[in-house]
Amino acid sequence: MALQDILDRLRAAERVAGRAEGSVRLIAVSKVQPPERVVAVLEQGHRIFGENYVQEAAGKWPVWRDRFGPVNLHMIGPLQTNKAKLALDLFDAIHTLDRPSLAQKLASLGQARGALPQLFVQVNTGEEPQKAGVLPAELTGFLRDCRAMDLLPFGLMCIPPEDKDPTPHFALLAGMAADHGLSGLSMGMSSDFETAVAHGATHIRVGSAIFGARAYP
Ligand SMILES: *Cc1c(COP(=O)(O)O)cnc(C)c1O
């Protein structure tokens, strides 16, 4: 199990960046991992996890929460509007607020419940046509619309283009968060989390470096 290695590397990256020890949250991304690998990480005491699919998470986490106690669960995959209600029952944070229809849905569900998970707006920093996220040029308007619905996002999230240097994308996201007075920055994965920490990440999302390669069914 590589959890301790990743925690050690994270603490070192915090030190190098002059950040307070423990200031960056390590989200262990457990999507499609064999249950025994996830249980092993729970048994080591880790309590922050990320999932991409609402249905899959709903099938796994209620049982593990009964067994291990409170677990901080983060939704990091695309969220369909018709799964939003189920997602609110499961997740403490949603990193993929990426369009007005989802904002509307979350706002109305939040009104009925009186509370919502922590919200991150996903920004398509690479402006890739196949990728979800608000375009950088549309972020100001989108945040204005969110606030008009009483949705107060906590931060921004990005997934840089594959096989490219992520540095400019992390810098862009950090700049946009600062411009808008948002304190959360969800960025950095197995291959680049140290760079993300250097650029101010508050939440890193690490899957395969902790659990091993994913085997998609
Ligand atoms: C799967 C996934 C991760 C984890 O990726 P690794 O490369 O395995 O660390 C992080 N973020 C998102 C949005 C993902 O879908």
Side-chain angles (χ1 to χ4, degrees), residues 9-191:
R9 281 172 57 189
L10 174 55
R11 298 289 95 98
E14 286 171 340
R15 266 196 306 280
V16 168
R19 317 259 318 260
E21 182 169 325
S23 58
V24 181
R25 301 281 184 97
L26 173 61
I27 301 172
V29 177
S30 48
K31 62 168 176 239
V32 310
Q33 291 287 352
E36 62 275 13
R37 292 187 189 169
V38 184
V39 167
V41 168
L42 280 161
E43 281 171 344
Q44 290 171 77
H46 197 71
R47 290 294 180 270
I48 311 175
F49 289 83
E51 290 284 347
N52 285 57
Y53 312 101
V54 175
Q55 222 78 44
E56 184 193 346
K60 302 192 300 196
W61 284 99
V63 175
W64 285 336
R65 278 172 160 159
D66 282 348
R67 178 167 160 204
F68 291 98
V71 171
N72 199 242
L73 207 54
H74 293 249
M75 174 59 177
I76 63 167
L79 180 55
Q80 291 171 256
T81 309
N82 64 5
K83 301 255 171 68
K85 193 164 187 289
L86 184 53
L88 295 192
D89 292 336
L90 274 172
F91 292 102
D92 302 288
I94 294 173
H95 292 236
T96 48
L97 172 55
D98 62 352
R99 59 193 192 280
S101 59
L102 182 58
Q104 205 98 56
K105 183 75 180 181
L106 292 173
S108 71
L109 289 169
Q111 235 130 49
R113 293 170 173 243
L116 278 174
Q118 208 169 51
L119 299 176
F120 293 77
V121 174
Q122 183 175 354
V123 181
N124 187 354
T125 56
E127 306 191 24
E128 297 172 278
Q130 83 286 4
K131 200 166 270 177
V134 177
L135 293 172
E138 294 170 349
L139 181 63
T140 300
F142 184 71
L143 287 170
R144 193 190 311 121
D145 293 346
C146 285
R147 289 180 181 129
M149 299 175 214
D150 272 340
L151 273 192
L152 302 174
F154 169 74
L156 302 179
M157 175 270 211
C158 75
I159 308 170
E162 255 175 82
D163 305 324
K164 289 233 179 82
D165 178 8
T167 308
H169 299 272
F170 295 157
L172 175 62
L173 198 72
M176 290 188 292
D179 288 346
H180 292 283
L182 298 170
S183 49
L185 270 179
S186 168
M187 56 190 200
M189 311 185 4
S190 289
S191 58

